[in-house]
Amino acid sequence: MKHFIYIAIFILFSSCNNFLEESSQDLIIPKTVKDYSEFLFGEGYIRDNISIHTYLDIMTDDVEERANATPIMQADIRSDGFGYYCWQPNPEYRFTGALNSDNAWETYYSKILITNNIINLLDNAEGSENDKKDLLGEAYCLRAFYYFMLVNIYGEPYEKENAVKALGIPFNFDHFVQERIYHRESLARSYELIENDLKKAIQLLEESNYTKTIFRISKGAAYLLASRFYLYKKDYEQTIFYANKVLETNSALYDIRSLTEYDDYAFTKENPEIIWTYGDYEINYLSSAYRGCFPVSMTFYNMFHNNDARKRTYIKEDLGDLIIGKGAANTGVYGFAFRTAEAYLNRAEANAELGNTNEAIKDIELLQKYRFDAPVAIKIDNQQDLIQLVRQERRFELCFEQHRWFDLRRWDRPRIEHIYTVDITSGEKKKFILEKNDKAYTLPLPVEVKEFDYDLNNIERPQRDGIIVQ
């Protein structure tokens, strides 16, 4: 049976200026390294006008439902996120039954195809060897990142003892669209292929050793991705090694204590923590601008210590609602970012898991120095307390940056309850439960992918009808 991964290639774009020379009616080829660089930056990066997997945070325990029956201009968007918020077997379907397409698969595989063009065709381009190394390093790092995101959304959670049998994702290394048989690699093989790309990226970026803006992949970004990758793989020694490499290139932390509750945002061009920034920080499900949505959970909000400046800067009160305050429009920086704070947290978690108590606490205390208005004593009695402390700090620091769902998957996949109002007029509510180690901790293939590739193995998620709440 032939399969076609649902991807799209765009060889000629208006955003790429006029650097592509038409050699035939059907073939458009860049000629120089600069041409390829513009092509990759224009079409291979997740740009500020691209929103993907905005549903990740609403599947977690950091949000709750707000159903408002007051008629105002904005639409009730709870229906759009119902399938994800309530962990339905086919989460793309709205509460109304209409399809709300998941575009993450298509977006990432389209971008991967662009990186494949760079990797496979750059060798014959005109330009210096150092420029080629640097651009290849970017392409390999981007491809590793995209596959890493795909495998953590659609692949099963990584457990070393089960990885050989667990479902990973399909890989495509061609630089053109073709009809061929694709299959899902095992999770172990998926991680191996991602690791190969990461190692190549790091080697090339170290050899070129260019200074970059925060809008292009640098060796610091590659180091941080490697640290994250090995943390997910539970290879803690390598996690620490690459976290150290990140902090050798940039160890700065942003003192957010001076930021105000109202107008100041943490993700701006003034933030020295940002190593690489990308994409559109889309928070529509979490925004108070809608009649019904999934705002910050009060339970989560109340977990913050009163001295924690993140309680007023990362999360803001707005007309009685809690909204996300990390980034805003027209700040000069895209919404999502690789930050040094994550490197400290990755290193702290790895050290905690290895039983290196002093090293883990040192990183947490340093981070808190830039986050707490007044010091708060750290009290732990055993290694498990330390692990929980680090996990809690990670939850606070990286909240609503699409880390929480992945962290829940790789930790203990806990039981979570969500309440959903099925009828605003009557106020009828139902409770939906994500059980511990539930199959729904992995997303199924998007509906459009299943239509094209219906022989690809898929995750079977349990039916959830909900329990009426009195």
Side-chain angles (χ1 to χ4, degrees):
M1 179 66 65
K2 294 184 178 180
H3 298 288
F4 174 69
I5 291 184
Y6 194 71
I7 52 180
I9 184 168
F10 304 96
I11 297 299
L12 180 58
F13 291 92
S14 58
S15 60
C16 294
N17 300 317
N18 296 318
F19 71 80
L20 298 175
E21 178 181 338
E22 185 174 348
S23 59
S24 76
Q25 290 184 343
D26 300 314
L27 184 63
I28 308 296
I29 304 175
K31 297 179 65 175
T32 68
V33 176
K34 183 176 183 295
D35 294 342
Y36 278 103
S37 179
E38 291 181 9
F39 181 46
L40 181 65
F41 188 58
E43 308 305 335
Y45 276 73
I46 302 296
R47 303 305 299 269
D48 58 335
N49 62 344
I50 297 176
S51 298
I52 48 178
H53 43 66
T54 60
Y55 47 72
L56 285 179
D57 282 315
I58 69 170
M59 295 189 291
T60 75
D61 49 357
D62 285 351
V63 303
E64 61 189 18
E65 182 211 46
R66 179 171 70 85
N68 188 351
T70 303
I72 57 177
M73 293 180 64
Q74 286 83 0
D76 181 351
I77 65 164
R78 293 176 310 113
S79 176
D80 293 359
F82 163 77
Y84 296 100
Y85 181 73
C86 299
W87 311 292
Q88 294 298 292
N90 294 296
E92 289 174 86
Y93 288 104
R94 297 177 172 91
F95 184 71
T96 60
L99 184 65
N100 181 25
S101 296
D102 173 13
N103 69 335
W105 182 283
E106 177 185 355
T107 299
Y108 281 130
Y109 277 110
S110 295
K111 299 301 181 183
I112 286 166
L113 202 57
I114 302 300
T115 65
N116 290 349
N117 270 264
I118 305 301
I119 292 167
N120 295 342
L121 302 176
L122 184 64
D123 189 54
N124 294 324
E126 301 170 6
S128 73
E129 287 304 309
N130 222 38
D131 286 350
K132 288 182 181 180
K133 287 180 180 179
D134 187 69
L135 190 58
L136 278 174
E138 285 189 27
Y140 275 116
C141 187
L142 285 170
R143 190 168 74 177
F145 177 54
Y146 299 154
Y147 276 129
F148 181 75
M149 294 299 292
L150 285 164
V151 81
N152 280 285
I153 295 173
Y154 304 107
E156 295 183 88
Y158 187 89
E159 297 290 349
K160 185 176 181 179
E161 58 273 18
N162 301 321
V164 173
K165 296 182 179 180
L167 282 179
I169 54 171
F171 281 74
N172 175 41
F173 298 110
D174 295 324
H175 60 278
F176 50 87
V177 175
Q178 62 174 320
E179 190 176 8
R180 50 164 284 195
I181 295 175
Y182 288 94
H183 66 279
R184 293 181 76 146
E185 300 285 354
S186 70
L187 197 61
R189 179 61 174 162
S190 297
Y191 268 70
E192 179 185 344
L193 292 171
I194 294 168
E195 185 176 24
N196 290 343
D197 273 2
L198 266 175
K199 288 180 176 179
K200 291 175 185 175
I202 289 170
Q203 178 184 347
L204 290 162
L205 291 168
E206 285 181 336
E207 289 177 0
S208 64
N209 198 30
Y210 284 171
T211 299
K212 306 287 193 69
T213 73
I214 59 174
F215 300 103
R216 299 291 296 241
I217 289 289
S218 62
K219 64 180 182 181
Y223 292 149
L224 186 51
L225 179 57
S227 177
R228 186 187 301 182
F229 170 85
Y230 287 112
L231 184 67
Y232 281 36
K233 199 178 176 184
K234 298 180 175 61
D235 185 338
Y236 299 122
E237 296 289 354
Q238 287 290 88
T239 301
I240 293 169
F241 175 81
Y242 283 108
N244 288 340
K245 299 286 281 185
V246 174
L247 298 173
E248 287 171 8
T249 64
N250 180 6
S251 61
L253 286 169
Y254 191 27
D255 192 343
I256 68 169
R257 295 173 296 175
S258 61
L259 299 181
T260 65
E261 181 178 352
Y262 300 102
D263 299 323
D264 291 341
Y265 292 88
F267 288 6
T268 68
K269 60 185 179 181
E270 286 77 26
N271 189 332
E273 296 178 13
I274 296 177
I275 298 170
W276 175 48
T277 182
Y278 62 94
D280 182 5
Y281 190 46
E282 178 61 71
I283 57 170
N284 61 337
Y285 287 126
L286 310 169
S287 172
S288 68
Y290 295 88
R291 173 179 157 197
C293 57
F294 309 107
V296 180
S297 162
M298 284 301 301
T299 300
F300 172 52
Y301 180 71
N302 290 330
M303 288 179 180
F304 284 86
H305 194 283
N306 287 334
N307 285 347
D308 194 336
R310 292 172 295 198
K311 190 173 184 178
R312 67 170 183 272
T313 55
Y314 288 180
I315 302 172
K316 299 178 184 291
E317 291 191 50
D318 180 54
L319 300 176
D321 290 313
L322 298 176
I323 63 172
I324 311 306
K326 286 193 165 183
N330 303 317
T331 59
V333 178
Y334 301 167
F336 291 103
F338 278 29
R339 299 189 288 128
T340 57
E342 184 191 345
Y344 286 108
L345 288 165
N346 290 351
R347 188 169 70 179
E349 183 177 338
N351 275 316
E353 292 286 353
L354 291 172
N356 301 327
T357 303
N358 291 337
E359 289 87 345
I361 290 178
K362 183 179 178 181
D363 279 333
I364 297 302
E365 286 180 334
L366 180 61
L367 180 62
Q368 289 185 350
K369 177 182 176 182
Y370 292 86
R371 302 298 190 254
F372 280 62
D373 295 319
V376 176
I378 293 177
K379 298 179 181 179
I380 58 168
D381 295 323
N382 51 53
Q383 183 183 11
Q384 191 56 41
D385 285 350
L386 177 61
I387 291 172
Q388 288 304 120
L389 169 69
V390 174
R391 289 182 179 184
Q392 179 173 274
E393 273 300 305
R394 186 178 181 88
R395 186 179 184 185
F396 293 153
E397 178 60 33
L398 301 178
C399 65
F400 305 108
E401 294 181 55
Q402 301 185 336
H403 286 271
R404 180 64 176 170
W405 178 248
F406 296 151
D407 286 345
L408 291 173
R409 277 168 44 92
R410 66 185 180 85
W411 291 336
D412 50 4
R413 294 182 287 283
R415 185 179 188 271
I416 303 174
E417 294 184 2
H418 279 169
I419 303 295
Y420 184 86
T421 304
V422 295
D423 189 322
I424 288 183
T425 303
S426 68
E428 181 182 351
K429 299 177 183 293
K430 285 188 175 182
K431 177 168 65 177
F432 293 83
I433 301 171
L434 181 71
E435 299 291 355
K436 183 175 176 60
N437 293 321
D438 202 296
K439 283 287 188 180
Y441 267 106
T442 301
L443 289 183
L445 300 177
V447 170
E448 291 182 346
V449 174
K450 288 183 287 187
E451 290 176 352
F452 279 95
D453 300 317
Y454 48 82
D455 277 357
L456 282 176
N457 292 336
N458 201 13
I459 299 295
E460 295 297 328
R461 290 157 54 108
Q463 181 66 39
R464 248 172 279 265
D465 296 324
I467 303 167
I468 296 177
V469 177
Q470 302 295 333

